[in-house]
Amino acid sequence: MPTNSLAGFSRQERYRELAEAIVVKPRYKDELAGKNIVLVDDVLTSGATASACTKALKAAGVTSVSVLVAALVPRQSDGDLDFPVSGG
């Protein structure tokens, strides 16, 4: 399912936007069932994409999902996650 760009979305908006957007195609379910999967992401902003991917993979029968990321955006309570507010 197509999604909007997540730039400028808050954490809650990102999770809501991706809630039903990521699914495993039925033709791959048998191949994935029982597997241990590693997802690789360059930057983890809110975790919404990794969470949606994990839910879809688990629903397809995957045994476990590990997520590896190169960088994390510092957690913020609200606001635009793409432009973190610096402390000081």
Side-chain angles (χ1 to χ4, degrees):
M1 163 189 283
T3 63
N4 294 310
S5 169
L6 300 179
F9 278 32
S10 71
R11 184 174 311 282
Q12 288 180 331
E13 291 168 331
R14 288 169 186 254
Y15 273 86
R16 191 171 26 254
E17 181 70 17
L18 293 173
E20 303 295 324
I22 298 174
V23 296
V24 173
K25 292 185 177 184
R27 68 178 179 225
Y28 296 114
K29 288 185 178 183
D30 287 341
E31 186 176 342
L32 290 170
K35 300 283 172 106
N36 300 308
I37 302 295
V38 177
L39 294 177
V40 179
D41 196 357
D42 56 350
V43 179
L44 187 78
T45 304
S46 67
T49 302
S51 179
C53 289
T54 298
K55 287 179 183 177
L57 288 164
K58 294 293 282 181
V62 165
T63 299
S64 70
V65 179
S66 299
V67 181
L68 302 177
V69 297
L72 296 172
V73 173
R75 186 175 177 117
Q76 298 179 63
S77 59
D78 238 340
D80 186 345
L81 296 175
D82 296 303
F83 299 98
V85 178
S86 62

